[in-house]
Structures are given as structure tokens and as C-alpha cells.
Amino acid sequence: MSLNGKRILLVIAGGIAAYKSLDLIRRLRERGAAVRAILTRAGAAFVTPLAVGALAGEKAYTDLFSLTDESAMGHIRLSRESDLIVIAPATADLLAKMAAGLADDLASTVLLAANTPILAAPGMNVEMWEHAATRRNVERLAADGIAFVGPAAGDLACGEVGQGRMAEVADIVAAAERLLADAAGGGLRLDGRHALVTAGPTREPLDPVRFLSNYSSGKQGFAIAGALAARGARTTLIAGPTALPNPPGVTIVAVETAADMLAACEAALPADVAVFAAAVADWRVARRNEVKIKKAGETPTLALIENPDILATIARRSDCRPTLVVGFAAETGAAPEQGRDKLVRKGCDWIVANDVSGGAVFGAERNRVHIVTPAGTESWPELTKREVAERLAVRIATHFAGPHAAE
Ligand code: CTP
């Protein structure tokens, strides 16, 4: 896909990778985009406004307090007159400012005033990237809807080796194209629809102080609820215990056990769409102890009984079945095939099959999924959980929008 007619605002912060941003301007323009650039003060120490302006074909903006710039092109207009903002390189300092909502120079002010998608391509030293503060900031920004591309691992300009190298220019261009394509589906809304989402783990108590559970963080389900609500759906999120903030505009029902989750789902019906992203504990103890089990005596043996399958129960309801029932499947190998099997077994309409063979998905930021529907399987590239949620929301909105609804 080309970037024909797209207006991209490129923010160049102060990192050595700024030299690659000169090439990025050329590649974006080659694909048909109009590029306007802002250099932070530190960015201008790495590449000159003259070089940036010459490549962009338009003067580079550098300082919020230049009165001539403010009257000719206010910082609000700079962000409004773009379809996408790309930050390359996004330094630890700029990410920290964004996460804190600071606006003390042109770049940070434009970013705070932005109402367009933002793509950040971090580039920094490995220790800075891995520092707890940067991790926290990136997590916060991802939750705020900022898309990330990279950083890659490899030799760093500082002589160290590790993750921190800004993504290759071609990867940044591809990520920009993807983001704009998603935003194009962005016109589709879910106003007037009720969405039900389950997320997180369930907790099955053994006694008043112990429980069985799993490592689910709830991130994917929370992101889906947020994305559906952002498209106008009245969204009910039925969540097991997580450490996540409530997504804006979502009604959250906090539950603990699988039985609670099923009851809360049934109470929330009717719904147009239900997405079952929770990692429901498959078993609970047959008899929960009312008092703490003491160590004295024999080592206890846990007798388990199977929990109700919430997805299958809702998908097979004869009354009040949501129009679109979406399940998740965590598979280690042959995810699309296993997903299709689960689709039939559980009676749902789509399965988002998660390929977990490559390593940890629980708690991770990224996810690789296949969307299995009766019409076929779509394999998505590795994306952030936020991007998976966005795409799924677009897919759901498209489903409700048209005649192709009958998939
Ligand atoms: N699910 C559910 N209730 C359960 C178990 C699972 O609603 N008691 C839902 C999950 O939210 C998910 C889907 O079913 O959407 C598939 O979950 P998964 O754990 O992959 O499937 P299982 O049924 O546990 O199948 P298996 O362990 O055999 O792969």
C-alpha cells in the first residue's frame, strides 16, 4: 500500500539514529506522503534543520517560541494538519515527557495536542531502554494508544550490544502504512451496540487464604474492551483480578471465580458481540474449605471439578445469544487448525488463535494471532496487544457494518 496523499508529521528527537530519519523522510515521500518535520533541540544537534527541511521540501520546525512560526503555523495546526505523527528516533527523554503529559517545547506540545495516530520508533542505549522508568513509560504510552515499532536488538552506536537500536527505515514505513490502513477502517463505529468482553484470570479459592489461578495479565482483553468502547460500543468488561487501570468508557464488573464470571456474563446479556479473552481456570476445588487448611497432619490432596465453559455456555444459548461470539485459543503449534477445531467445539463464530509456542504471551506486550472464521483464516503479523485489539475492533465494526456480516 502506498502513502499517497498522506500527511506525516515527523518528530526527530535527539539520538544518534536521527541520521536514519533523513532517509526515512525520503522513503516516506517516495511512497507519496507529504512530510513535515519537527526537530527537538537535541534532535537539531544530531541533524540540521537545513538538511531535514531540504529533504522534506518544507522548512523544519524547531522551536515553540518562535513567534513567526507560531503565527504562520501554530503548534495545534501542526498536529491537526497531519494524518499520522511518526517519532523517530523516540528518545527516553521524549517518551518520559509524553508519558507525563509535559509540553515544554514544540515537539512535546504538538504530541500532547495531537488527535491523530502516533507511531514511536524508540532509539536509545540498551540500559536506558531497559530501565524501569522507560519500561513504565512505554507501558503507559502503549495503554494511551501510542503505537511502537522496534527497537531492534544489535550493536548500538554507543558500543554496547542489546535492544535499543531504532527500527530499520523500511520497518518504520511499513508500520506507518499499517497504522494508516487501520485508521482508514477507523470511520466504522459501533454506536448503539452492546459489547461484552471477558478478561484476566479467574481465581478459584481453596480456603480463605489460598487459590488456584494462572498468569493471565488481562492486557489483551482490557485493550479489546477499550478499543470497542472507543468505537462507541456500550462495553461491559467482566474481569478477573488484574493490576490494570479501567479502560476509558468501559463498565467494569470485577469477578473472582469462573462461576462468578459466568453469572456476570449472563446478567450482562443481551449483547451484540461477546469477546471471551479471559483465561478461565479450567478447574476449581470440589470442596472449598471455610477455614484455613492447617499444615498439621497429612498433606492434603486436592479434588478438582471442572468449571463451566463460559464461552461455550453463552455461544450455545438458545435465547439471548450474542450475534457475534468471539473466542480465544492459546495454542502451541498449528494454531489455525486447533483454532478451527475449537470454533466448532465451542460453537462460536470466530476464534482468535494465539500462537504461544514462541515463548511468553502472558503479560507480554506483543501477540501473534490468527483470526479463524468459517470463511477462512487470516494470519496477522506480530503486533502489540493494543494493535490486535484495534484491528479486532475494526474487524467487528466491519462485520456489523455490511452485508458481509453473514460470515
Ligand atoms: N473459556 C471459557 N470458559 C472456560 C474455559 C475457556 O470461557 N471454562 C474460553 C476462553 O475465554 C477462550 C476459549 O474458551 O475464549 C478457549 O480457551 P482455552 O483455554 O484455549 O480452551 P480450553 O477450553 O481450555 O481448551 P484446551 O485447554 O483443551 O485447549
Side-chain angles (χ1 to χ4, degrees), residues 178-232:
R178 236 178 7 243
L179 214 62
L180 283 164
D182 288 350
L188 294 174
R189 302 274 307 165
L190 285 163
D191 298 287
R193 306 276 179 191
H194 180 209
L196 176 67
V197 180
T198 69
T202 65
R203 241 180 219 180
E204 310 297 333
L206 273 55
D207 68 16
V209 298
R210 304 181 178 95
F211 56 83
L212 294 176
S213 192
N214 58 63
Y215 286 116
S216 168
S217 66
K219 279 180 189 162
Q220 187 64 81
F222 272 58
I224 291 167
L228 292 170
R231 268 165 208 281

Side-chain angles (χ1 to χ4, degrees), residues 24 99 110 129 164 206:
L24 178 61
V110 164
W129 175 249
L206 273 55

Side-chain angles (χ1 to χ4, degrees), residues 87-130:
I87 314 170
T91 55
D93 177 67
L94 185 55
L95 293 174
K97 274 187 184 161
M98 290 167 70
L102 292 178
D104 64 351
D105 64 1
L106 180 60
S108 54
T109 307
V110 164
L111 289 164
L112 193 63
N115 63 356
T116 41
I118 299 177
L119 173 67
M124 65 193 76
N125 165 270
V126 55
E127 300 296 341
M128 291 170 88
W129 175 249
E130 284 174 1

Side-chain angles (χ1 to χ4, degrees), residues 301-364:
T301 306
L302 295 178
L304 301 176
I305 51 174
E306 201 167 317
N307 270 327
D309 191 311
I310 301 168
L311 164 59
T313 308
I314 303 287
R316 296 200 188 286
R317 275 179 73 111
S318 52
D319 66 321
C320 263
R321 183 194 189 272
T323 315
L324 181 64
V325 176
V326 184
F328 267 71
E331 309 293 352
T332 50
E337 293 71 28
Q338 306 247 29
R340 187 156 303 283
D341 178 56
K342 214 161 266 184
L343 180 91
V344 175
R345 207 155 28 86
K346 302 215 178 195
C348 52
D349 303 301
W350 300 352
I351 281 276
V352 181
N354 234 316
D355 198 336
V356 295
S357 45
V361 164
F362 283 149

